[in-house]
Amino acid sequence: MPEEPDDRRPEDELREMLQRFLSGEGPIDPARLAGAAGMPSDPAQLQALMAQLQAALARTEDGIDWSAAERQARAVVQRDPGSVTTAERDAVRQSVELAAMWLDEATTWGGASEVTLRSRQQWVEATLPVWQEMAEPVASSIAGALTRAMQEHAPEEAQEMLAGAERILRNVGGTMFAMQLGNVVGQLAGETIAGGDFGFPLLQDEATLLPVNLRTLAEGLEIPEDQVRIWTAVRELAHARLFHHARWLRLHVLSSVREYAEGIRIDVERLEQLAEGFDPSNPEELREALSSGALIPPKTEEQQEALARLETTIALIEGWVDCVTEAATARLPKRDAIAETVRRRRATGGPAEKAFGTLVGLEIRPRRLREAAAFWRAVTEAVGPEARDSLWDQPDLVPTAADIDDPSRAIARLQGGGELDEMDLALQALLDDAAREDEPAADGEEAPASDAEPDAAPAAEDDADDGDERPER
């Protein structure tokens, strides 16, 4: 009998081939594939990896499957979820009450006076949308560039099979990247102590603590845990109050992150070298290229400028929080020792934080933090807390990098009275109206100290202020 014609599409052939590999019928070693995804090769992780990649083959949608990141992050923290105990809730509540009173003396703003306690699991679920937003431009670039490189350098006999399989290749590559991100975020949950730890507004104007990591910090400092709790609560409440007062600030920061990230391009030549010699049974080279940041070339001039603006904003935020925390905790005997240890910790970062920087091409620690804190201290001494805090009232009043270098510039503007012109007054009225409209929702978002799981932080819009430096006033 003559052979029946094969009506399968080329992409169906590729899907079947990859499914055979993932089922153990081909040359792909599951343990090595787990290494390529940045995951440990224990049986449970291997099973999860294979299941995720098989799901990627079956997806009909195009793009990154971020649910893979969420599942992987959950798998990491489930080893030690850091659940909140009743004793920890009571101890933190007492510390927060005292911290809120002290903070009222250091800043004229009201706002957050309660702290939400989260386990590592709950922190992952609440913050993962923002991590994804920061990683998405790089994930899409890598998945697309890797797909094109593999198609261009595949053997001639495989060209037809790969020609119609762009979606499949992007889905598999995107899933690998998402799982790497989830693995990193799960590890970050073991390093973070409070919502404002990483400089970026991962949550809304809400104060958050992770008691399990706070306890570890106190043990390492050999300082009474109650003092560490109070100092950390003051700092976290100050961070939340800043974002509660300056409603525009969170969107501005996240939009600046996206402005920088969208300029990231993948080193196509390096990818082509990988594609030419890619061995499915030995994917360590691909893992090394992804985890080391070798695929992300040096920053362009535009990226350098965008990054400089972003770093200035983050430094000003963190510097203001440090300045206010220092003033509010003056009665705390071990204040300076706690502050210096945490400052050094923030400057160096942990292993997971460094892994995020190489994976996404964006460091999440503020530069120039000491200079920014010194700037805010100088302003406070010259004009007082109320005038100092007025610099956050509008985006165009926020100090610039030049102001950090020379605080007298901002001090002169504040001491000169700086009457607002008609445009400033109109903008202030719009901001005030927006704040009043948001007030009921904001009040409803604030939660008491508990281990209840809040809603995840929404993603930032793309049409926010572009972060240009402000003119002198």
Side-chain angles (χ1 to χ4, degrees):
M1 289 180 64
E3 293 185 5
E4 295 183 1
D6 189 349
D7 294 331
R8 292 179 302 170
R9 297 174 298 173
E11 57 265 34
D12 293 333
E13 295 180 26
L14 176 63
R15 183 183 290 107
E16 290 179 11
M17 181 186 73
L18 291 174
Q19 285 174 336
R20 287 196 300 272
F21 287 166
L22 296 176
S23 299
E25 301 173 11
I28 291 183
D29 181 349
R32 288 180 172 179
L33 194 59
M39 297 162 48
S41 57
D42 61 80
Q45 293 288 341
L46 290 178
Q47 185 177 6
L49 172 61
M50 294 306 171
Q52 295 280 11
L53 294 179
Q54 287 173 344
L57 292 176
R59 286 182 72 231
T60 57
E61 302 88 356
D62 200 353
I64 307 297
D65 179 15
W66 289 115
S67 65
E70 181 178 358
R71 285 190 288 269
Q72 180 58 28
R74 286 180 174 178
V76 172
V77 297
Q78 278 175 356
R79 303 168 196 164
D80 186 4
S83 301
V84 183
T85 67
T86 301
E88 285 171 332
R89 279 198 297 270
D90 293 341
V92 171
R93 182 176 290 111
Q94 294 175 10
S95 298
V96 167
E97 290 175 356
L98 182 58
M101 286 192 296
W102 286 359
L103 190 58
D104 288 341
E105 300 172 0
T107 177
T108 57
W109 296 336
S113 59
E114 297 177 332
V115 171
T116 299
L117 302 190
R118 282 187 171 89
S119 66
R120 290 170 176 154
Q121 178 80 43
Q122 291 166 337
W123 180 85
V124 163
E125 293 169 358
T127 63
L128 192 56
V130 177
W131 295 117
Q132 291 171 3
E133 184 175 356
M134 289 195 282
E136 193 275 334
V138 179
S140 298
S141 294
I142 287 180
L146 182 59
T147 299
R148 291 190 297 272
M150 291 183 67
Q151 289 174 330
E152 292 172 3
H153 295 280
E156 185 175 349
E157 60 271 17
Q159 288 288 347
E160 183 180 358
M161 180 173 62
L162 292 174
E166 289 187 21
R167 178 179 54 79
I168 294 174
L169 292 173
R170 280 197 301 270
N171 285 350
V172 172
T175 296
M176 290 281 284
F177 185 96
M179 294 188 74
Q180 279 191 301
L181 177 66
N183 195 57
V184 168
V185 173
Q187 294 174 34
L188 284 171
E191 298 178 9
T192 186
I193 296 169
D197 264 12
F198 295 112
F200 291 93
L202 298 171
L203 301 164
Q204 291 282 18
D205 53 336
E206 171 195 285
T208 295
L209 292 176
L210 279 71
V212 61
N213 297 337
L214 180 61
R215 184 169 61 248
T216 302
L217 173 66
E219 292 170 354
L221 290 175
E222 298 182 353
I223 291 174
E225 189 173 344
D226 60 341
Q227 292 196 40
V228 178
R229 275 197 305 267
I230 294 169
W231 187 93
T232 308
V234 169
R235 191 179 192 285
E236 182 64 5
L237 287 173
H239 193 273
R241 288 192 187 188
L242 172 57
F243 281 89
H244 179 83
H245 175 80
R247 293 288 186 175
W248 54 271
L249 185 56
R250 182 172 188 271
L251 186 59
H252 170 75
V253 172
L254 293 180
S255 297
S256 297
V257 170
R258 190 160 188 96
E259 177 192 3
Y260 165 76
E262 286 179 342
I264 293 176
R265 295 295 179 264
I266 304 306
D267 188 339
V268 178
E269 292 185 2
R270 175 68 175 133
L271 261 179
E272 289 176 347
Q273 293 172 3
L274 286 173
E276 287 177 0
F278 181 68
D279 179 2
S281 66
N282 185 23
E284 276 90 347
E285 188 177 7
L286 176 60
R287 180 202 61 78
E288 177 62 23
L290 288 173
S291 62
S292 68
L295 295 180
I296 301 176
K299 300 176 182 66
T300 64
E301 183 178 346
E302 291 77 10
Q303 275 188 290
Q304 293 281 13
E305 293 173 355
L307 185 59
R309 290 194 297 269
L310 174 62
E311 288 178 341
T312 296
T313 301
I314 296 298
L316 285 166
I317 292 170
E318 295 294 286
W320 182 90
V321 170
D322 277 3
C323 173
V324 171
T325 300
E326 182 181 87
T329 57
R331 304 180 183 91
L332 211 57
K334 296 292 185 179
R335 175 196 67 179
D336 293 339
I338 300 170
E340 183 60 26
T341 301
V342 172
R343 191 178 295 115
R344 289 178 180 175
R345 182 176 176 270
R346 291 209 313 272
T348 57
E353 190 175 316
K354 294 172 183 175
F356 178 84
T358 55
L359 186 65
V360 178
L362 178 66
E363 295 181 9
I364 53 178
R365 287 288 161 176
R367 298 173 188 255
R368 304 196 67 194
L369 179 55
R370 288 182 184 272
E371 294 94 331
F375 163 82
W376 288 115
R377 291 189 199 100
V379 172
T380 306
E381 292 173 2
V383 297
E386 185 173 359
R388 173 201 67 198
D389 294 348
S390 71
L391 291 173
W392 293 107
D393 287 349
Q394 299 177 21
D396 63 344
L397 295 178
V398 175
T400 65
D403 291 324
I404 295 178
D405 294 333
D406 182 8
S408 64
R409 293 159 46 102
I411 292 171
R413 294 199 299 270
L414 291 169
Q415 289 177 332
E419 293 185 6
L420 300 178
D421 57 26
E422 292 183 4
M423 183 175 294
D424 288 329
L425 291 171
L427 177 58
Q428 183 65 65
L430 287 174
L431 292 171
D432 289 344
D433 289 343
R436 281 193 292 271
E437 290 175 2
D438 289 344
E439 198 66 38
D443 291 339
E445 287 169 2
E446 292 179 5
S450 70
D451 56 353
E453 176 183 341
D455 293 333
E461 301 291 336
D462 291 332
D463 57 350
D465 188 281
D466 62 6
D468 289 340
E469 290 197 351
R470 316 299 174 211
E472 290 188 28
R473 308 185 67 79

